[in-house]
């Protein structure tokens, strides 16, 4: 036999068909698609809760309705920027930030325009006044705390009211704790003159232009007056800072001084009728005492005093 006949025959490797690979790819894609369909149909792909934070005057329900998002909506089909634009369309909202937390939580953080004062509308419904002068009715569902001054006697679109609101926004909150009410009191000399009522029972007359400067020293003015046992009156904080009693107190002080002077005259007349030997006092001295006494009462209660600055 020849040598070539003794060697074994080497078989060629079989080439696998491409159909099996295609089948594996098809099965893989099928299962992936099935899993995606099952996931989007499950509760993991839906909004489970909407959390709203940062609101004070607006209710959570109002913000939720404006956002257009509710529990059960598809979590991935909602755009955060769209929610922010819808919430910022509300009149009282200055900015909004929306964040999504898997699985199914959407958090909306709201920042409202600062409120600077309150007013009462029809049926004594409280209304918040914002820094831009806009008026928002306070919902009954919101815990209403009267922590700002009340503006009364102002028109809603009055230019001086808007200017006052802008000034109140810049003033520190600590300066407004004693202010309970602000009314317009315009005059020819001061078109922006206002009258403020304090919780410490003083009336303060100043202007919108002077307000930021005068509020810095208002507490010290009142403290200085109370140290001198003056607990009420009218403070005029204009070019010069002065204090005067209320009109009723001034009239009462003048009546007291008149009564004392009349009693002094009556006493002197009775003394003139008594015999000279029984008189023990000099009529001239008594009249001088009464005059000095009545003038001191007038100085203490009926005069206008300039307030020293601490």
């Amino acid at each position: 036999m020849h040598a070539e006949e003794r060697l074994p025959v080497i078989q060629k490797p079989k080439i696998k068909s491409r159909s099996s690979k295609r089948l594996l790819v098809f099965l893989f894609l099928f299962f992936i698609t099935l899993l995606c369909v099952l996931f989007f149909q499950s509760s993991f792909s839906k909004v489970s809760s909407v959390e709203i934070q940062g609101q004070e005057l607006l209710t959570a329900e109002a913000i939720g309705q404006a956002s257009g998002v509710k529990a059960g909506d598809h979590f991935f089909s909602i755009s955060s920027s769209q929610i922010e634009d819808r919430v910022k369309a509300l009149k009282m909202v200055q900015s909004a930030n929306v964040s999504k937390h898997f699985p199914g939580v959407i958090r909306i953080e709201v920042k409202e325009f600062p409120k600077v004062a309150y007013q009462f509308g029809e049926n004594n419904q409280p209304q918040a006044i914002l820094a831009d002068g806009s008026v928002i009715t306070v919902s009954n569902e919101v815990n209403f705390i009267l922590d700002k001054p009340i503006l009364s006697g102002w028109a809603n679109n009055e230019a001086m009211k808007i200017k006052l609101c802008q000034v109140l926004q810049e003033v520190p909150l600590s300066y407004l704790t004693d202010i309970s009410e602000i009314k317009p009191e315009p005059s020819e000399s001061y078109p922006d003159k206002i009258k403020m009522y304090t919780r410490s029972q003083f009336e303060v007359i100043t202007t919108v232009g002077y307000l930021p400067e005068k509020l810095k020293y208002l507490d010290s003015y009142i403290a200085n007056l109370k140290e001198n046992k003056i607990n009420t009156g009218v403070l005029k904080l204009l070019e010069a800072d002065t204090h005067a009693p209320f009109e009723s107190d001034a009239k009462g002080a003048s009546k007291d001084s008149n009564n004392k002077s009349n009693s002094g005259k009556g006493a002197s007349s009775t003394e003139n009728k008594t015999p000279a030997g029984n008189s023990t006092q000099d009529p001239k001295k008594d009249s001088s005492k009464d005059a000095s006494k009545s003038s001191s009462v007038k100085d203490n209660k009926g005069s206008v005093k300039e307030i020293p600055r601490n």
Side-chain angles (χ1 to χ4, degrees):
M1 296 180 67
H2 299 285
E4 294 178 355
E5 295 178 354
R6 296 174 184 169
L7 294 175
V9 178
I10 300 174
Q11 297 179 355
K12 295 181 180 180
K14 295 181 179 180
I15 300 173
K16 295 182 179 180
S17 61
R18 295 181 179 179
S19 59
S20 60
K21 292 183 180 180
R22 291 178 180 176
L23 179 61
L24 292 175
V25 172
F26 175 77
L27 292 176
F28 177 77
L29 294 176
F30 174 76
F31 283 109
I32 292 297
T33 305
L34 182 62
L35 290 175
C36 290
V37 171
L38 293 176
F39 174 78
F40 284 108
Q41 292 296 327
S42 66
S43 60
F44 293 102
S45 65
K46 296 180 180 180
V47 177
S48 60
S49 64
V50 179
E51 299 178 358
I52 300 174
Q53 302 174 350
Q55 80 280 4
E56 294 183 10
L57 298 175
L58 287 171
T59 61
E61 290 77 9
I63 298 174
Q65 291 179 358
S67 66
V69 181
K70 61 182 183 299
D73 293 342
H74 288 287
F75 182 78
F76 297 98
S77 62
I78 301 172
S79 174
S80 300
S81 60
Q82 291 179 355
I83 300 175
E84 291 177 357
D85 294 338
R86 294 172 186 170
V87 175
K88 285 190 292 186
L90 293 172
K91 190 174 182 180
M92 297 180 61
V93 177
Q94 183 176 7
S95 63
N97 184 24
V98 177
S99 57
K100 301 170 73 173
H101 303 272
F102 187 81
V105 178
I106 295 179
R107 184 174 293 116
I108 304 174
E109 296 181 2
V110 174
K111 182 180 179 182
E112 298 176 347
F113 283 104
K115 58 182 182 296
V116 296
Y118 291 103
Q119 69 181 22
F120 290 92
E122 298 180 356
N123 300 324
N124 289 329
Q125 181 69 24
Q127 297 174 336
I129 305 175
L130 305 184
D132 59 350
S134 58
V135 178
I136 303 296
T137 301
V138 179
S139 174
N140 295 326
E141 300 177 1
V142 177
N143 294 328
F144 176 66
I145 301 175
L146 194 61
D147 56 348
K148 305 290 182 183
I150 298 174
L151 301 188
S152 59
W154 300 84
N156 286 334
N157 297 324
E158 189 174 349
M160 196 56 61
K161 178 184 178 182
I162 298 174
K163 184 178 179 181
L164 174 62
C165 293
Q166 294 173 352
V167 171
L168 292 177
Q169 181 189 10
E170 299 173 357
V171 172
L173 295 177
S174 59
Y175 295 166
L176 300 174
T177 54
D178 195 33
I179 307 299
S180 61
E181 187 177 358
I182 303 176
K183 290 183 176 182
E185 194 89 355
S187 64
E188 294 182 0
S189 302
Y190 301 101
D192 61 340
K193 189 168 71 172
I194 56 176
K195 178 186 287 187
M196 301 187 298
Y197 298 92
T198 67
R199 294 181 173 87
S200 53
Q201 299 182 355
F202 283 88
E203 288 184 9
V204 181
I205 296 176
T206 184
T207 65
V208 176
Y210 285 138
L211 190 61
E213 178 186 357
K214 299 299 182 179
L215 282 178
K216 295 179 183 178
Y217 308 103
L218 181 60
D219 291 339
S220 62
Y221 291 161
I222 295 176
N224 188 19
L225 291 172
K226 289 189 174 182
E227 288 179 359
N228 295 325
K229 297 182 180 179
I230 301 175
N231 297 319
T232 58
V234 180
L235 292 172
K236 290 187 178 180
L237 307 182
L238 299 171
E239 287 89 353
D241 303 330
T242 59
H243 170 267
F246 290 122
E247 292 182 359
S248 59
D249 295 341
K251 291 180 180 178
S254 63
K255 287 182 180 179
D256 293 339
S257 63
N258 292 331
N259 291 333
K260 289 182 180 180
S261 62
N262 292 331
S263 63
K265 291 179 181 179
S268 61
S269 63
T270 54
E271 287 176 357
N272 292 331
K273 292 180 181 180
T274 56
N278 293 334
S279 66
T280 58
Q281 296 180 354
D282 189 0
K284 294 181 179 180
K285 293 181 179 180
D286 294 338
S287 61
S288 63
K289 289 181 181 180
D290 294 336
S292 63
K293 188 174 182 180
S294 61
S295 62
S296 65
V297 172
K298 185 176 182 182
D299 291 340
N300 290 333
K301 294 185 179 180
S303 63
V304 177
K305 295 183 178 180
E306 186 173 355
I307 305 172
R309 293 192 180 184
N310 292 336

